[in-house]
């Protein structure tokens, strides 16, 4: 793959990320369902990891984490590391255990959202800011609402995946 092909490929993925980010940050955040808004940016990292593999998933997860941390100022740098690791893990799962399709993306998304909310709940339990029951209720609603968008996110990135240059094997 040439440098030009590489640049076009990742520019296309970045441009595909923008409408999903816009949907999450400027539309869905204004109209929460069940009192929660969905997390779509981690789903983007999972979709790319499912389609492209572990290395690309980790790299794209790093970029998504930067955007996520810029949007949600909680623990600086936490989501950068978390989304990169989730992209790596989802890419490995999709490549070697699951299939690189919508079902594999959905299963990896479930695991990723569970991991993110487990980290959030764990940090809040350690600081004593909320009760476990309340946090589990909110996390369950957030995960269910986020999973409703997995097909949309996957289809956007699959559309890009089919049109971008692929690596050549010599």
């Amino acid at each position: 793959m040439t440098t030009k092909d590489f640049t076009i490929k990742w520019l296309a993925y970045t441009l595909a990320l923008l409408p999903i980010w816009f949907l999450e940050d400027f539309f869905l955040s204004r109209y929460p369902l069940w009192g929660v808004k969905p997390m779509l940016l981690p789903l983007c990292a999972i979709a790319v990891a499912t389609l492209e593999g572990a290395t690309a998933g980790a790299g794209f997860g790093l970029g998504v984490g930067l955007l996520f941390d810029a949007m949600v100022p909680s623990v600086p740098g936490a989501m950068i590391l978390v989304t990169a690791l989730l992209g790596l893990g989802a890419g490995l799962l999709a490549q070697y255990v699951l299939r690189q399709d919508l079902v594999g993306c959905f299963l990896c998304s479930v695991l990723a959202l569970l991991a993110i909310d487990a980290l959030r709940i764990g940090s809040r339990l350690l600081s004593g800011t909320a009760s476990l029951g309340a946090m589990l209720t909110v996390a369950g609603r957030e995960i269910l609402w986020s999973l409703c968008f997995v097909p949309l996110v996957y289809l956007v990135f699959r559309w890009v995946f089919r049109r971008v240059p692929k690596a050549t094997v010599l």
Side-chain angles (χ1 to χ4, degrees):
M1 176 179 290
T2 66
T3 304
K4 180 182 174 186
D5 291 342
F6 183 82
T7 304
I8 289 170
K9 175 182 190 170
W10 291 107
L11 181 63
Y13 278 126
T14 303
L15 290 174
L17 177 68
L18 293 179
I20 295 170
W21 169 61
F22 183 81
L23 176 68
E24 177 182 351
D25 201 38
F26 297 110
F27 184 72
L28 293 173
S29 65
R30 296 175 194 266
Y31 307 104
L33 182 66
W34 302 316
V36 296
K37 68 178 195 117
M39 287 190 296
L40 301 185
L41 289 180
L43 298 180
C44 296
I46 299 303
V48 171
T50 301
L51 294 166
E52 291 282 348
T55 305
F60 195 73
L62 188 72
V64 167
L66 281 168
L67 180 59
F68 196 96
D69 265 354
M71 273 179 34
V72 183
S74 54
V75 179
M79 283 306 289
I80 297 170
L81 178 63
V82 168
T83 53
L85 291 174
L86 290 174
L88 176 68
L92 289 171
L93 272 175
Q95 274 182 297
Y96 299 112
V97 178
L98 305 170
R99 297 181 311 184
Q100 291 178 291
D101 61 358
L102 179 59
V103 174
C105 183
F106 188 83
L107 293 174
C108 289
S109 296
V110 169
L111 294 174
L113 292 171
L114 285 171
I116 289 170
D117 278 331
L119 289 172
R120 285 179 172 176
I121 289 171
S123 70
R124 286 186 176 94
L125 280 177
L126 289 175
S127 66
T129 56
S131 69
L132 180 61
M135 288 188 292
L136 287 175
T137 301
V138 171
R141 290 175 181 171
E142 183 181 58
I143 290 170
L144 288 174
W145 185 215
S146 299
L147 289 175
C148 293
F149 292 93
V150 170
L152 171 72
V153 171
Y154 177 78
L155 290 174
V156 166
F157 286 100
R158 190 185 71 173
W159 182 82
V160 172
F161 176 74
R162 289 185 172 178
R163 283 157 181 79
V164 296
K166 309 291 186 285
T168 57
V169 179
L170 299 176

